[in-house]
Amino acid sequence: MHFVETLATEDLGNRSYLAGGRETAVVVDPPRDIDRVLAAAARRGVRITHVAETHVHKDYVSGGLELARITGAAYLVPAGAQVAYGRVPVADGDRAGIDGGLSLRAVETPGHTPHHTSYVLYDGDTPVAAFTGGSLLIGSVGRPDLVEPRLTRRFARAQHASAHRLAELPDDVRVLPTHGFGSLCSATQAEGQGEASTIGRERVHNIALTSDVDAFVTELLAGLDDIPAYYAHMGPANAAGPAPVDLTAPRIADAAELTSRLDAGEWVVDLRNRVAFAEGHLAGSLNFDGSGQLATHLAWLLPWGKPVTLLADTAEEIAAAQRELARVGIDRPGAAATGPAEQWAPGGEELRSFRRADFAALADAVAAAHEGGAAPVVVDVRRRSERATAGWVTGSVHLPLHELPRRIGELPPGTVWVHCAGGLRAAIAASFLDTEDREVIAIDDGFATARDLGLVTLPVR
């Protein structure tokens, strides 16, 4: 008798797993905020005896070391991983007893990293689930380019071999990856594949199992996009041994302190939704909606180590953001402020604002330009892969969001209409443009509407 409970970290597109029997359990690839894991184990009434890492993670700070310390669990880490702390080094074929007839078998699956190891859960002699980490994902595999560019092709070939090794398991074995639910550690985002799978289903649908190695490598490498900048800091943090997370509330800042922090070049981040921010915000602040993959977007753009102050409607929203940011190593906000935005401006100073519009308004502006009006400056902040597959607004300037802050000076003069695929990233970009005193209009609309209006140039296939 066994169970597997999924612990999703939606903002990063990752999953951790608690698996065990009546009394004891293992945790695979735990998040940094381990209180969630401890609560899940307490609800189940099980003791955590093992913590297993599939690899030294590049996209988030692991809670594995601290979880093992608190629970006294054996900390299973691939033997090939270079880490600075004590662990149980795991090699191919090693087994760990979990509960009664339950056991975990290590399977070397290099490709995402050179030391990557998957774990197969056995109930007696029967394999029932495979914790595949960043190896075999649902419809895809983990990206092979996070270690060293010169090794990417070699690691891509290794991913193909590792996927085929896992495919030797029986059809009904559940596939339980860590990445692939929006995570940028996934080589591709497999659309329409769902969030649950088995080895049998992957044999039919996964590119690594339906293509020969050369075709697979060619397609895999062609689909790789930019690596988030903060990934460079996650691997070293996990190899050194992350410090325990501190989620105590940050100190409260008044309007004068907020101004002082802005004047010092610090980032003051407004977590409110994009509509509220556009209608009125503290001059110099940046808009990262707390409900929209905050950790990924902010960590990618933030110069590493720069202090951050958080603004939100409520203390609960500050706490939620603080938890998300700790998962990627942004540990302690410098300060925070809540309440009406008017309270954040010094001396009754007016809040700044900018326009929001839809693609129909942009179509009108384009039509007016054809009649002799000023041509709109259209900026596309989607990633390169999105533009290459879905097309682009004709005449638009492409500045992926993560490149925008350092390239704003490249934009021609005039009113800037900024868009993404749905409006969230456009709002972030608009807040950066607003700090540079550019007249900006944030397009809050789905990109499909631009296609319907005839604004889009489609890629040649």
Side-chain angles (χ1 to χ4, degrees), residues 3 44 60 78 90 151-152 234 248 258 275 326 370 385:
F3 72 86
R44 293 272 182 180
Y60 70 94
V90 177
L151 301 176
T152 296
M234 301 296 96
T248 56
L258 294 178
V275 176
H370 291 158
S385 58

Side-chain angles (χ1 to χ4, degrees), residues 31 128 176:
V128 293
L176 301 172

Side-chain angles (χ1 to χ4, degrees), residues 83-144:
V83 296
Y85 43 82
R87 43 78 189 261
V88 177
V90 177
D92 188 58
D94 286 352
R95 277 190 185 254
I98 303 302
D99 186 292
L102 294 179
S103 63
L104 205 64
R105 179 172 69 90
V107 180
E108 286 186 359
T109 48
H112 186 49
T113 67
H115 60 265
H116 191 283
T117 299
S118 299
Y119 299 92
V120 180
L121 181 67
Y122 281 79
D123 195 336
D125 295 327
T126 304
V128 293
F131 302 104
T132 57
S135 182
L136 184 71
L137 309 186
I138 297 178
S140 184
V141 296
R143 59 190 302 167

